[in-house]
Amino acid sequence: MDLAGSKDLSYALKVAIQFLPEDRQATPDEVTKAVETAKMVSGLNGVMVDVADLRKLVESRTTTFQESSAGLSNSEDHVPWLPDAKNDRSWAFWTRYERFLKHSRGMPLQVVNSIDRTTDEVLGELEDPHRPGPWRRMGLVIGQVQSGKTGQFIGLAAKAADAGYRLIVVFAGVLNDLRAQTQLRIDEGLLGFDTQYQLRSDQEGADRYIGVGAMAGEPRLHIASLTNSTEKGDFDRKTASKANLPIGNFPVVLVVKKHPRIIDYLRTWVTEVHGVEDPKTGRKIVQDIPLFVIDDEADNASVNTAGDGADPTSINTAIRKLLTSFDKSSYVGYTATPYANIYIDPDADHDSLGGDLFPESFIRTLRAPSNYLGPERLFGLRAHAEEDDIDPLPLVHHVDDAEHWVPEKHKSGFTVTAELPDSLRRTIHSFVLTCAARRARGQVDVHNSMLVHVTRFTKVQGQVRDQIDDYVRLLRNGLRDRYGDASRAYMNELRALWEEDFEATTAFFTADEAERLSWEQTAAEILPAIQKFEIKAINGVAKDVLDYYSNRHTGMYVIAVGGQKLSRGLTLEGLSVSYYLRFAKTYDTLLQMGRWFGYRPGYEDLCRLYTTAQLVGAYEEITAATDELRRDIEEMAAIGFTPREFGLKVRTSSLGLSITAANKMRQGTRVRLSFSGELAETTIFPLTNGVPKHNFDRLQAFAGMLLEQASPEVDSKTGSLVWSDVPAEVVAAGFFDRYKSASEANRIRPDAISAYIQQCAKAGELGKWTVRVVSRQGADMPVDLAGHTLGAVTRAASKTARPDSTKHTIKRILNPKDESLDLDHPEQYDAALEATKKAAAGRKNRNGEPLAPTLPTGEPLRWQRRPDQAHLLIYMMEPPEKANLDIPLIGFAASFPFSRVHTATEYVVNVPWWKDDSDDLSYEDGAEDA
């Protein structure tokens, strides 16, 4: 059941929410009590609702959850401020928006709480707007397509206004309709008034309050805007000449396109009115008015795509000029496709513009709520070893009959002569059934949208629109004659589709037969549904518009035919059915075209995507690569890396796709990676769910396997146990297949290491392992293993890792001198040391001192290994006090030789990854075993 589908249920839901806990998940008894109370209160006000329907609606709002975000942060020149500010400032804008999300939008309580938490996390990364002196913070927030990023950054803007930011600029894409759509969302969630009619909350004679401003009992908060939600409501020279708002007394908000002229108008206006001349540069600088910039779709147009040595692109220049015109500024980019942003060179500089838009201060990832219909659920995902695979939902149907209609490769002058393919007719029929079924479920006055995206050319889109309109009219007219042959034929087709597809799919989603519609219930709503259909071409030429807001009380039923306008940021309300054939060549473009991702409360089972098998394969690849990137960020966030230390790698495509446009990847380097020549070591240790005991027990069992083959050699200095010439299959099956790593430790997945070992073993490599269980003399924790008593090593917790009671994070498990202990000839050791010294020549450590290695390490060492010679170092480590464990934590470092046969996976890596020198030649304190 959809919240918007029944006004009575909507009212009862708002009442029920008042009686639910806001700080935790409601218990079943609490849900029951809230539902019964809401039914009673509703009845007293003349509103009658079905208890079962209300309970399902309340449960859908209370069982949704959202995992915590993760992030990389740089605290240099940053003063923590938010905890104290929570007590010394009014947070009225946020409180008003929070109530709006809960009571007007009906958003699940746990999701609202998550928005509160994640906006706090981002706000805390910004600088206190009251902090004196010049400062600048640059960050990036990564969400998912259609996952609620706009709602999140409106919450962030509300808190920024509360905190004291007085000029808030939102860059909303490059198209007028997208800017207007974002402005309307800002009007509803932050300003509280319709900017088409008023520009200040206290404007005399104006009373066009909407959204947060229209809620009963809410205060009129002082805020203004210099842009409005009409198509032509952007900031321009005329607006600038008439603007007489005194920035500094209250928040002023602008929603502008990413257009260099508009951004320059804005900068010129604000510097002329509020700027003072900088004696060093002669430029006007705005002092003591903190600027906050939110860059929506930050990977689109903002990134400098000019070549080396060339001046930055115009939009990139305009944004950087705006930021440097304020002595206090914060910039946060939002995107679902961050590839272009993290390929920005962090060391790029310009004489007058300064640094580029690299997220120097922080990078945060936002997990989508559990009710989000995203690429993982739609296309499936082969998951990390410690998690279950995600099977695709039965919502995707393949199209293989459209090439004769609109060929994949065609020109702008192409004329559509063939009839609609059967697959598109079936898609239209699916949309008819979806709209009818939603009506039968009580979701009547809601938006229903269907997307048709088969070409980028506007002329061809117009022809497609006309063909679909003709067919819908034919279908509508045929159905109107209830007793005619055409009506019977169409109803038979629709019924066959319902029974063949919809009944089975709904049964997949729910086991409760009472929740399933009969054909008769759906059939009764088919004609009322199709009577409301509108067919629109949405592009820069057609005059059609998607005016969801004006039709918000009755709902639009629209089939939108488009291309570029529908593929970047524009939201199709109530999108349920998509017909998508246009193949794009980059990860980010394909993901952005996925308008079908998002939230489908009460009709997820009715959604359909009709597309080609080729596109499904592309989305499967992109989903896996994006998931791997997210895991890398989460792993390095747990370790405590900064954005500059974040070595990004994105897996390339086997289908010939590019990660992003070539001019956005000038700083990316193409490399081929595997475990060949690598050191895989554990740095994150789970402390809960029995993982420490599991890994300790597995080590005991592995040592037993080794004892069956031979007795270990005991190192006379340390007591370490050493087994030589251990076969690959014993190491793979006996240790790596059984070891449990942290879920975020994407770079040392035991299952991937095991698979790599087995692949190399088939080619005669990695056949002679040295397995060393490291012991430390004089240890405080003795450990019995394989009939010997060993001493556990100690490792200090990483100083930069975020505190977490569920895991212990360190910088390194490897003691550098241990890696070379298996080299079996003096000549091999000497060659490795000489190679290490040669690699260090001319390089300096973090203190600026020349590197002078005294032992062989890293890649130079691994080049000296024979292909069959690998080294597994197992460390038993004293647990931290917070773990309350009486057994050691088990970690490893596996030193692999370079393979002559293994085929590597290709990635494109960013500058920090390429420049990373943390592997081998300099080490953090605390990695020595004493």
Side-chain angles (χ1 to χ4, degrees):
M1 183 64 65
D2 188 15
L3 170 65
S6 167
K7 294 178 182 178
D8 291 346
L9 277 172
S10 175
Y11 174 81
L13 175 67
K14 292 179 181 179
V15 176
I17 286 175
Q18 305 294 323
F19 297 94
L20 293 171
E22 296 190 359
D23 58 345
R24 58 177 173 80
Q25 192 85 9
T27 66
D29 288 343
E30 288 171 331
V31 171
T32 298
K33 185 175 180 180
V35 168
E36 292 173 348
T37 304
K39 184 178 185 301
M40 179 184 68
V41 172
S42 299
L44 293 174
N45 287 276
V47 176
M48 306 305 295
V49 294
D50 181 81
V51 171
D53 287 343
L54 178 58
R55 183 179 184 89
K56 280 187 286 188
L57 193 56
V58 171
E59 286 177 342
S60 73
R61 296 301 189 271
T62 56
T63 57
T64 301
F65 64 91
Q66 187 168 9
E67 295 184 49
S68 298
S69 65
L72 315 174
S73 179
N74 179 9
S75 60
E76 184 179 353
D77 193 34
H78 174 58
V79 179
W81 62 281
L82 189 55
D84 291 334
K86 286 291 186 180
N87 294 316
D88 64 23
R89 294 168 214 187
S90 168
W91 298 90
F93 283 105
W94 163 253
T95 301
R96 188 172 71 167
Y97 182 59
E98 182 181 38
R99 290 173 183 161
F100 174 71
L101 294 179
K102 289 178 179 177
H103 305 308
S104 296
R105 283 284 179 256
M107 189 172 285
L109 300 180
Q110 296 303 315
V111 175
V112 178
N113 292 340
S114 178
I115 291 175
D116 186 16
R117 182 178 62 254
T118 56
T119 49
D120 269 0
E121 290 168 348
V122 176
L123 185 68
E125 294 282 8
L126 308 182
E127 215 57 54
D128 182 355
H130 294 172
R131 177 185 167 184
W135 43 259
R136 180 178 177 184
R137 295 287 285 177
M138 303 288 295
L140 179 68
V141 178
I142 304 170
Q144 296 197 53
V145 176
Q146 299 288 92
S147 66
K149 296 187 300 300
T150 303
Q152 210 268 355
F153 73 60
I154 291 174
L156 178 62
K159 289 184 176 180
D162 286 323
Y165 281 94
R166 286 299 171 254
L167 182 60
I168 299 173
V169 177
V170 179
F171 292 133
V174 297
L175 301 172
N176 284 326
D177 50 2
L178 178 55
R179 190 213 66 81
Q181 184 183 75
T182 303
Q183 176 81 59
L184 181 58
R185 294 285 302 277
I186 293 284
D187 290 358
E188 289 185 303
L190 178 59
L191 299 173
F193 52 83
D194 190 336
T195 51
Q196 295 187 42
Y197 303 98
Q198 66 185 94
L199 295 179
R200 293 175 60 143
S201 54
D202 59 352
Q203 189 169 322
E204 293 184 9
D207 187 16
R208 296 298 187 112
Y209 296 106
I210 62 174
V212 293
M215 294 190 298
E218 291 299 329
R220 298 279 185 248
L221 303 178
H222 205 182
I223 192 169
S225 175
L226 288 175
T227 53
N228 67 66
S229 60
T230 65
E231 285 277 326
K232 298 181 179 180
D234 210 337
F235 192 85
D236 56 21
R237 184 174 295 173
K238 183 178 179 181
T239 307
S241 65
K242 292 183 177 181
N244 58 0
L245 292 176
I247 298 177
N249 297 331
F250 51 84
V252 175
V253 181
L254 299 95
V255 181
V256 300
K257 287 196 307 294
K258 281 187 266 192
H259 189 289
R261 186 174 67 251
I262 293 171
I263 301 171
D264 285 341
Y265 284 155
L266 169 59
R267 175 181 52 81
T268 301
W269 164 71
V270 74
T271 52
E272 285 181 352
V273 175
H274 295 278
V276 296
E277 188 172 304
D278 183 347
K280 294 181 180 179
T281 64
R283 295 175 56 211
K284 283 191 174 183
I285 302 294
V286 180
Q287 297 178 337
D288 299 325
I289 296 178
L291 168 70
F292 180 35
V293 172
I294 294 174
D295 187 355
D296 192 18
E297 305 293 343
D299 64 307
N300 186 30
S302 302
V303 175
N304 177 26
T305 57
D308 293 341
D311 288 334
T313 52
S314 56
I315 295 177
N316 179 267
T317 296
I319 295 174
R320 290 161 71 177
K321 277 186 177 179
L322 177 66
L323 292 170
T324 55
S325 295
F326 287 73
D327 68 346
K328 309 174 193 295
S329 65
S330 289
Y331 167 96
V332 179
Y334 276 79
T335 183
T337 48
Y339 314 113
N341 302 86
I342 35 194
Y343 285 124
I344 297 172
D345 186 351
D347 297 318
D349 201 0
H350 190 275
D351 291 342
S352 61
L353 301 176
D356 205 345
L357 301 180
F358 179 78
E360 177 83 24
S361 305
F362 63 92
I363 299 173
R364 297 203 68 82
T365 61
L366 298 178
R367 288 291 194 101
S370 56
N371 61 339
Y372 171 67
L373 180 60
E376 295 88 353
R377 296 182 64 207
L378 201 58
F379 299 107
L381 179 67
R382 300 292 297 177
H384 188 278
E386 301 301 319
E387 300 176 6
D388 294 330
D389 289 347
I390 301 174
D391 293 323
L393 295 174
L395 304 178
V396 180
H397 297 283
H398 289 178
V399 173
D400 59 8
D401 63 349
E403 183 66 18
H404 73 287
W405 173 60
V406 178
E408 179 183 344
K409 295 181 179 180
H410 60 274
K411 296 182 179 180
S412 59
F414 175 75
T415 299
V416 182
T417 57
E419 295 182 352
L420 291 181
D422 289 342
S423 59
L424 182 49
R425 291 179 66 255
R426 184 181 178 91
T427 306
I428 296 170
H429 290 184
S430 295
F431 186 55
V432 171
L433 292 173
T434 294
C435 294
R438 292 193 70 189
R439 293 176 65 90
R441 290 177 179 176
Q443 303 164 25
V444 178
D445 299 328
V446 297
H447 296 310
N448 286 289
S449 298
M450 172 177 157
L451 164 68
V452 178
H453 189 163
V454 299
T455 176
R456 67 187 179 92
F457 299 117
T458 56
K459 180 183 175 182
V460 184
Q461 290 168 19
Q463 297 174 66
V464 171
R465 182 254 172 227
D466 291 344
Q467 274 197 314
I468 293 175
D469 186 70
D470 289 342
Y471 181 74
V472 169
R473 289 178 184 276
L474 185 68
L475 181 60
R476 181 191 293 131
N477 292 336
L479 290 170
R480 280 176 180 161
D481 183 6
R482 295 178 180 272
Y483 304 103
D485 292 340
S487 178
R488 281 193 295 273
Y490 284 134
M491 289 299 286
N492 287 338
E493 277 193 72
L494 291 168
R495 180 166 188 166
L497 179 58
W498 175 263
E499 294 175 347
E500 172 192 328
D501 182 12
F502 282 78
E503 286 184 350
T505 303
T506 299
F508 176 89
F509 279 82
T510 176
D512 187 353
E513 291 190 18
E515 295 184 9
R516 305 177 198 172
L517 294 171
S518 67
W519 163 246
E520 288 71 23
Q521 290 173 298
T522 303
E525 297 293 340
I526 286 177
L527 188 57
I530 199 171
Q531 297 273 33
K532 291 188 65 172
F533 276 24
E534 299 176 72
I535 321 301
K536 294 179 177 289
I538 306 302
N539 53 50
V541 175
K543 296 181 180 180
D544 292 344
V545 294
L546 292 173
D547 191 359
Y548 291 115
Y549 184 74
S550 297
N551 294 279
R552 63 192 181 278
H553 299 303
T554 57
M556 289 183 69
Y557 291 24
V558 61
I559 298 178
V561 181
Q564 180 65 25
K565 269 199 173 187
L566 299 181
S567 66
R568 181 56 90 154
L570 192 65
T571 299
L572 293 172
E573 301 287 350
L575 177 63
S576 53
V577 178
S578 298
Y579 189 80
Y580 175 68
L581 305 181
R582 185 180 159 202
F583 195 88
K585 296 181 179 180
T586 63
Y587 290 8
D588 45 11
T589 302
L590 280 169
L591 278 177
Q592 290 292 346
M593 286 178 174
R595 301 289 95 191
W596 46 81
F597 304 132
Y599 303 97
R600 306 292 185 263
Y603 64 103
E604 195 174 67
D605 61 311
L606 303 176
C607 295
R608 296 294 183 272
L609 169 60
Y610 286 80
T611 189
T612 66
Q614 180 191 28
L615 278 162
V616 171
Y619 277 107
E620 289 173 347
E621 275 202 345
I622 296 168
T623 300
T626 304
D627 182 72
E628 184 176 6
L629 170 62
R630 175 184 59 78
R631 290 182 182 280
D632 280 352
I633 294 175
E634 291 175 352
E635 178 179 358
M636 286 189 249
I639 297 172
F641 278 14
T642 69
R644 273 186 171 268
E645 296 170 323
F646 174 38
L648 161 75
K649 68 181 195 311
V650 181
R651 189 191 308 175
T652 60
S653 168
S654 64
L655 302 176
L657 300 171
S658 296
I659 295 168
T660 186
N663 57 5
K664 296 180 181 179
M665 291 173 55
R666 296 184 192 278
Q667 301 300 326
T669 303
R670 200 172 287 266
V671 299
R672 298 184 66 81
L673 300 177
S674 72
F675 291 104
S676 173
E678 290 292 313
L679 177 77
E681 60 177 317
T682 41
T683 56
I684 306 174
F685 297 82
L687 301 176
T688 57
N689 298 325
V691 174
K693 186 176 188 306
H694 170 90
N695 285 339
F696 182 64
D697 290 346
R698 298 288 76 76
L699 173 59
Q700 295 278 11
F702 180 49
M705 291 176 61
L706 296 175
L707 279 176
E708 292 178 1
Q709 299 193 20
S711 296
E713 177 184 342
V714 181
D715 188 308
S716 59
K717 295 181 180 179
T718 63
S720 300
L721 305 182
V722 183
W723 283 269
S724 301
D725 295 335
V726 180
E729 58 269 19
V730 173
V731 174
F735 184 75
F736 287 109
D737 279 347
R738 303 181 182 186
Y739 184 89
K740 284 189 176 181
S741 64
S743 60
E744 61 268 57
N746 192 41
R747 298 190 167 199
I748 52 105
R749 288 168 42 192
D751 62 325
I753 295 174
S754 176
Y756 174 76
I757 292 171
Q758 294 176 62
Q759 289 172 7
C760 288
K762 292 177 182 178
E765 296 185 338
L766 303 183
K768 296 182 178 180
W769 283 76
T770 297
V771 177
R772 181 181 302 270
V773 183
V774 178
S775 176
R776 182 170 75 93
Q777 288 187 337
D780 293 333
M781 174 180 274
V783 183
D784 292 330
L785 183 75
H788 298 79
T789 300
L790 288 76
V793 304
T794 60
R795 293 290 184 271
S798 169
K799 297 176 182 177
T800 57
R802 296 178 185 273
D804 190 331
S805 61
T806 67
K807 60 175 69 78
H808 179 54
T809 304
I810 63 176
K811 282 290 186 181
R812 302 208 68 179
I813 191 69
L814 176 75
N815 182 336
K817 65 184 180 184
D818 291 345
E819 189 178 6
S820 61
L821 291 176
D822 70 315
L823 300 183
D824 49 13
H825 298 289
E827 295 83 2
Q828 191 181 34
Y829 182 94
D830 292 342
L833 178 57
E834 184 62 27
T836 303
K837 290 179 177 179
K838 186 175 181 179
R843 297 172 63 185
K844 296 181 180 181
N845 62 21
R846 293 175 182 176
N847 298 322
E849 301 164 339
L851 288 173
T854 58
L855 51 88
T857 56
E859 284 194 5
L861 181 158
R862 292 170 220 137
W863 273 115
Q864 302 306 315
R865 294 190 182 283
R866 299 181 301 274
D868 67 342
Q869 182 185 19
H871 194 187
L872 173 60
L873 294 141
I874 299 175
Y875 291 87
M876 299 183 294
M877 181 176 65
E878 290 185 15
E881 291 185 9
K882 65 180 180 181
N884 193 27
L885 294 171
D886 58 2
I887 56 174
L889 302 177
I890 307 303
F892 66 83
S895 180
F896 289 95
F898 280 84
S899 173
R900 296 172 182 171
V901 297
H902 186 261
T903 302
T905 301
E906 186 176 77
Y907 292 83
V908 175
V909 302
N910 67 351
V911 173
W913 189 99
W914 190 249
K915 291 184 176 179
D916 179 31
D917 62 358
S918 62
D919 178 27
D920 307 310
L921 299 176
S922 60
Y923 299 91
E924 294 289 327
D925 293 339
E928 294 290 335
D929 296 325

